[in-house]
Amino acid sequence: MNNRPVMEEILLEDLEKLEGTLEKIRYYNEESAYLVGRLRCVSGDAVTIVGNFPPMQEGESLRITGRWQVHHRYGRQVAVERWERMLPLTEEGLKRYLSSGLIKGIGPVTAAAIVKQFGLAALEVMEQEPEQLQEVPGIGPKKAAMILEGFQKYREMQNVLIFLQGHGIGVGQALRLYRHYGPQAIDRVKENPYALAEEVLGIGFKTADRIARQMGLSAESPARVRAALLFALCDAARKGDVYLPRETLTERVNELLAIPGKTRPSLPLTDHLQQLAGDRKIYCEDTAAGEIVYAASYYHAEKEVARRLKKLASAPRQWDRKKSKAVLEATAGKESGLTGEQRRVLEQALNEGVLVITGGPGTGKTTTIRALLSLFYSLNQAVLLAAPTGRAAKRVNEATGEEAFTIHRLLEYSYIEGEGFRFLRHEKRPLEADVLIVDEASMVDLMLMCQLVKAIPAGCRLIMVGDVDQLPAVGAGNVLRDLLESGAVPAVRLNHIFRQARESLITVNAHRINRGKMPHLNAKNKDFFFINEAIPDLVAQKVVQLCRERIPNYGPFDPVADIQVITPMRRTAAGVDRLNILLQKALNPPDRRKNEVTVRGTVFRHGDKVMQIRNNYQKEVYNGDIGLVSDLDLEAGELTVTYGDAALSRPVVYNFSELDELTLSYAISVHKSQGSEYPVIVMPVITQHYLLLQRNLLYTGITRARKLVVLVGTKKALAMAIRNNRAEERHSYLDSRLRQEGEGIAGSTDG
């Protein structure tokens, strides 16, 4: 997909050569490395430049070659074809360059002092005579060492980028490789180019293949074919598939091996499959539907999950019928108002080793969890509560009053010197529990489920709770749906919507959408609104107006803390990226009293709402955690994010070099919202998002709201999403394995 802004342009002139200072970065996309900026030329003129660049800092000096063009909206600009960095041309440019967050320890004050001491020779001094830094007032040995370490890391990155670009690797991909491997990126590329496609997210087979062929590897090489096979399976797993049918795998491999300008190959893969199977890198299996092929890790995980679930499910009952009935009646007496469905859950929980509970909003899943806790506590059972994400675990804790863990924390995922990160709870050191309850189970993928079941001790009950109609897990597999569809694991579906929930149009409309019906849009209500607007730019403007004025005036809602914008796509006029820029400007505008730093085109400002986008186990922050920028120290090169609420807040410090782990989160994708609840949800629903207009995506977004939902878009787009009920088809064999393994396991009930 082209990540550039939509452009209509007319080429005007031949190549133009310009020199100047990058005065302002207006836009930068890390994935495509596409930059829009303002270049202050040596002549004094300012021009807009667009093109692909590595991370740049405002204040850098550039020599560019490009062509003038006219953008239909932004006017005259230079489309850059070639560029090179130069030493900053002015002392002011050098100050901005040094203080831009590029080098830890240099903020505006220190940058000004360095330039005052050394003038335009400052960079030369740092590189050739670094000991002279201590001559600058305010820089002692410790700070000088920190500055030089940051400067050295920057130079290392530049060397790696130059090497990689020399081998035909684009700027965006070169940056991914550097972030993954660091200074060792050059050695890894030389050692095995094809490993890049397996190990680095965002580096595909085509890129690795281009590098390998530049380094002399033949197009007919068996290593090339096998690398394509392994990549096809790994790529499928990234998209949710546990395995691929043999025919599908063959088709994808031939696509990967196709060379532009040549006849597309149609290679027999039998010998290569046998070789990889002999090396135990893949596994092939015959099924009723034909041969299927797994990457080794997913094959073992799927078999292990099925085997261990059977073992857990077949554990003998601990209580006789008379005692079970007495305990059940006592619990029902304490937990008044339980429905017949919920009582069946308690009965099943007493008698079964594995149980699945599913249901939509308002059907009492949380009440059922509380009743289960009461039931097992009355039997003196040790109960553990867990959820896939920190936000989901926090919700369980708030709803039950009991401590809840993320699954990673429960399994003690930790860094071990010399071994890297690994789970410290496993079959040899299992959890200490009689009952394990996992909420938001729809978010659990196959690999995490495998780690979980390996750590559950014999005789421990496993209860999985979730809404199977929500989006599936981001990782490979569809565990909750497979458990239900196998019929081999006891399951109860909660269908009764409680009266209080029926009074909320959020709940009513969520269930209508899930049944394929249009939501009530014209009814007089207080918690579900639809605003009709078809033009994407106007949709974005209305979303901003809602967050800044209309919703805070409608109820006591904080624009930043209480309102969450959720949108299906990233790069559209009403997508995540653009809405974040507009909402930041509206809700946390620039202020001379607020420090800010620009990193890779993103402005982070004191008070901003941000999200962690990668698991960081050392900082104990995880993909999807949302917090506020509570401190920004330009001199120290550090930004502090406070996660949690006022009652339980936790500050986490980031070096500026780590800010690629953060993104603005005034607007987030629907997938990132899973497992969370927010007081208010605002969601664009427009035909421009047709690629992701799906019923389960709309349903998931709406069910994130506790108090208010506002949809902005068209009824046509809404109807498109509701009609599109093609559940994401994922290649998974877990349901069949459970049926094979599950003879003798009790069936399910549907309320």
Side-chain angles (χ1 to χ4, degrees):
M1 182 183 291
N2 189 348
N3 294 315
R4 301 184 180 189
V6 177
M7 301 181 72
E8 296 173 11
E9 51 201 34
I10 305 170
L11 294 181
L12 296 178
E13 301 175 14
D14 290 332
L15 290 175
E16 177 86 39
K17 294 184 179 180
L18 299 170
E19 290 184 9
T21 301
L22 185 59
E23 190 173 69
K24 182 69 177 176
I25 297 174
R26 293 197 178 106
Y27 172 85
Y28 186 72
N29 184 294
E30 287 189 41
E31 199 164 317
S32 64
Y34 187 74
L35 177 143
V36 179
R38 184 172 68 238
L39 186 75
R40 179 67 64 177
C41 299
V42 175
S43 64
D45 295 333
V47 300
T48 297
I49 61 171
V50 298
N52 294 96
F53 292 84
M56 290 282 175
Q57 304 296 335
E58 294 177 356
E60 293 205 50
S61 294
L62 301 175
R63 179 183 291 125
I64 66 165
T65 302
R67 297 180 187 272
W68 285 101
Q69 64 187 23
V70 173
H71 187 279
H72 76 289
R73 181 184 300 170
Y74 302 114
R76 203 164 181 256
Q77 53 190 216
V78 176
V80 178
E81 297 183 8
R82 294 190 298 275
W83 59 270
E84 60 180 300
R85 278 188 169 96
M86 303 168 58
L87 290 176
L89 301 173
T90 66
E91 289 192 354
E92 188 59 36
L94 183 55
K95 289 178 192 175
R96 294 183 66 185
Y97 173 74
L98 289 173
S99 64
S100 61
L102 174 72
I103 302 168
K104 181 176 169 60
I106 301 183
V109 174
T110 303
I114 291 174
V115 173
K116 182 178 180 180
Q117 182 80 15
F118 303 117
L120 289 175
L123 292 176
E124 185 179 343
V125 169
M126 291 170 65
E127 185 169 4
Q128 299 179 10
E129 300 176 273
E131 66 280 356
Q132 290 192 33
L133 265 183
Q134 295 183 47
E135 297 175 9
V136 178
I139 298 182
K142 186 175 180 180
K143 187 164 186 175
M146 179 171 61
I147 291 171
L148 292 171
E149 181 184 1
F151 184 66
Q152 181 61 33
K153 285 182 178 178
Y154 174 73
R155 296 304 294 265
E156 283 176 354
M157 180 180 74
Q158 296 306 310
N159 291 337
V160 170
L161 294 184
I162 290 168
F163 170 84
L164 295 175
Q165 289 177 77
H167 282 77
I169 302 176
V171 176
Q173 292 170 322
L175 287 170
R176 286 194 190 93
L177 291 172
Y178 179 77
R179 288 178 197 140
H180 189 85
Y181 296 120
Q184 289 74 45
I186 294 174
D187 293 336
R188 292 293 293 154
V189 169
K190 291 179 177 177
E191 179 185 328
N192 181 6
Y194 288 115
L196 311 181
E198 293 181 49
E199 297 172 1
V200 185
L201 186 64
I203 299 295
F205 176 84
K206 295 288 186 183
T207 299
D209 189 45
R210 186 171 63 249
I211 299 168
R213 300 199 56 230
Q214 280 189 352
M215 298 174 76
L217 193 70
S218 164
E220 289 75 34
S221 166
R224 182 171 182 256
V225 179
R226 290 167 196 166
L229 273 165
L230 291 173
F231 174 77
L233 292 172
C234 290
D235 189 53
R238 287 175 186 150
K239 295 172 182 175
D241 290 319
V242 178
Y243 69 82
L244 285 178
R246 169 79 176 263
E247 296 78 9
T248 304
L249 177 61
T250 300
E251 181 73 16
R252 293 190 186 180
V253 168
N254 282 322
E255 286 177 7
L256 290 169
L257 295 176
I259 298 172
K262 294 191 177 182
T263 304
R264 181 172 161 181
S266 181
L267 297 175
L269 301 180
T270 302
D271 290 346
H272 299 290
L273 288 169
Q274 287 177 348
Q275 179 67 51
L276 289 170
D279 294 339
R280 296 186 178 181
K281 292 185 176 180
I282 67 168
Y283 284 82
C284 304
E285 189 165 312
D286 289 319
T287 71
E291 187 177 12
I292 60 178
V293 186
Y294 293 81
S297 58
Y298 290 94
Y299 175 79
H300 292 307
E302 195 174 79
K303 296 268 287 185
E304 189 75 350
V305 169
R307 184 181 72 83
R308 288 185 177 271
L309 283 176
K310 176 186 177 182
K311 188 175 180 181
L312 289 169
S314 61
R317 297 177 180 178
Q318 291 178 283
W319 303 282
D320 58 39
R321 190 176 300 277
K322 185 176 180 181
K323 184 175 182 181
S324 296
K325 185 176 181 180
V327 171
L328 179 62
E329 292 303 325
T331 302
K334 286 189 292 184
E335 304 290 328
S336 60
L338 293 181
T339 65
E341 296 168 351
Q342 291 171 318
R343 287 178 64 94
R344 281 196 292 278
V345 168
L346 300 184
E347 291 170 4
Q348 294 270 42
L350 282 172
N351 296 319
E352 306 294 349
V354 178
L355 176 63
V356 173
I357 306 164
T358 189
T363 58
K365 295 190 297 296
T366 300
T367 301
T368 303
I369 291 175
R370 287 198 294 264
L372 286 167
L373 290 171
S374 177
L375 176 74
F376 286 116
Y377 286 156
S378 69
L379 291 165
N380 296 317
Q381 299 290 284
V383 184
L384 289 174
L385 284 171
T389 67
R391 290 170 297 157
K394 181 183 175 185
R395 283 180 52 207
V396 179
N397 166 256
E398 291 171 345
T400 65
E402 300 292 334
E403 184 175 17
F405 302 85
T406 64
I407 295 176
H408 280 81
R409 185 176 162 217
L410 183 77
L411 301 181
E412 299 178 21
Y413 191 67
S414 305
Y415 182 80
I416 306 299
E417 193 69 38
E419 299 180 27
F421 284 100
R422 64 187 184 90
F423 293 95
L424 301 184
R425 290 286 184 178
H426 40 68
E427 57 268 43
K428 294 182 180 178
R429 186 173 174 263
L431 297 167
E432 297 172 7
D434 301 308
V435 180
L436 171 61
I437 301 174
V438 179
D439 196 18
E440 294 290 353
S442 63
M443 299 176 67
V444 179
D445 63 35
L446 178 68
M447 301 306 282
L448 186 57
M449 185 68 179
C450 182
Q451 295 296 333
L452 183 66
V453 295
K454 285 197 292 188
I456 298 176
C460 177
R461 283 169 165 72
L462 172 63
I463 300 173
M464 305 280 286
V465 185
D467 186 345
V468 74
D469 295 317
Q470 288 186 21
L471 292 170
V474 174
N478 205 342
V479 172
L480 186 64
R481 184 172 293 279
D482 283 345
L483 293 180
L484 286 164
E485 293 187 351
S486 72
V489 174
V492 178
R493 182 183 285 270
L494 302 175
N495 292 312
H496 176 78
I497 304 175
F498 284 83
R499 183 182 62 80
Q500 186 176 356
R502 288 198 302 270
E503 294 173 357
S504 165
L505 207 58
I506 297 173
T507 301
V508 171
N509 279 340
H511 283 277
R512 287 182 64 83
I513 288 168
N514 203 30
R515 294 195 299 269
K517 297 180 179 180
M518 284 289 284
H520 294 304
L521 301 179
N522 299 318
K524 293 182 179 179
N525 65 86
K526 296 181 179 179
D527 65 0
F528 195 103
F529 296 93
F530 178 81
I531 297 174
N532 190 66
E533 180 55 66
I535 301 172
D537 279 336
L538 295 182
V539 168
Q541 290 177 28
K542 289 191 175 181
V543 167
V544 172
Q545 185 186 35
L546 283 162
C547 295
R548 183 179 53 201
E549 301 163 9
R550 293 179 63 179
I551 294 175
N553 290 336
Y554 176 75
F557 299 119
D558 183 275
V560 175
D562 294 334
I563 303 173
Q564 183 61 60
V565 176
I566 295 177
T567 183
M569 298 186 76
R570 297 198 64 85
R571 299 173 190 91
T572 62
V576 171
D577 294 341
R578 183 160 182 261
L579 284 173
N580 268 318
I581 293 170
L582 296 175
L583 288 165
Q584 181 192 46
K585 183 178 179 181
L587 303 180
N588 190 31
D591 188 314
R592 59 183 178 80
R593 294 166 296 182
K594 294 180 180 179
N595 283 341
E596 64 179 56
V597 62
T598 301
V599 177
R600 300 186 181 95
T602 298
V603 176
F604 293 100
R605 185 175 296 129
H606 191 283
D608 271 336
K609 185 177 183 178
V610 295
M611 174 186 282
Q612 176 80 16
I613 58 173
R614 290 202 293 271
N615 289 337
N616 187 322
Y617 299 101
Q618 290 172 309
K619 294 184 186 294
E620 294 187 0
V621 286
Y622 304 99
N623 188 358
D625 285 352
I626 290 178
L628 294 177
V629 177
S630 53
D631 190 28
L632 208 163
D633 190 329
L634 296 175
E635 290 298 315
E638 293 179 343
L639 178 149
T640 302
V641 178
T642 297
Y643 293 97
D645 51 31
L648 191 63
S649 62
R650 188 171 71 90
V652 177
V653 178
Y654 297 80
N655 295 330
F656 285 173
S657 62
E658 299 174 312
L659 294 187
D660 60 344
E661 295 187 15
L662 294 175
T663 187
L664 296 176
S665 63
Y666 298 98
I668 63 175
S669 69
V670 180
H671 283 87
K672 290 289 188 185
S673 74
Q674 279 184 276
S676 296
E677 281 189 346
Y678 310 93
V680 181
I681 289 298
V682 179
M683 187 174 180
V685 185
I686 53 178
T687 54
Q688 191 183 33
H689 294 163
Y690 70 94
L691 289 173
L692 286 176
L693 287 177
Q694 299 167 359
R695 186 187 298 176
N696 64 347
L697 186 140
L698 179 63
Y699 173 78
T700 300
I702 287 172
T703 55
R704 301 307 88 207
R706 288 199 304 269
K707 298 180 179 179
L708 180 64
V709 168
V710 183
L711 303 182
V712 185
T714 65
K715 293 180 182 179
K716 179 182 177 181
L718 201 56
M720 287 171 62
I722 292 167
R723 284 196 303 268
N724 183 5
N725 194 33
R726 295 192 302 272
E728 187 177 336
E729 292 296 329
R730 294 187 167 192
H731 291 302
S732 168
Y733 204 57
L734 179 61
D735 57 344
S736 296
R737 294 194 191 282
L738 286 166
R739 281 192 289 270
Q740 295 164 8
E741 297 278 358
E743 295 177 8
I745 301 178
S748 63
T749 64
D750 192 317

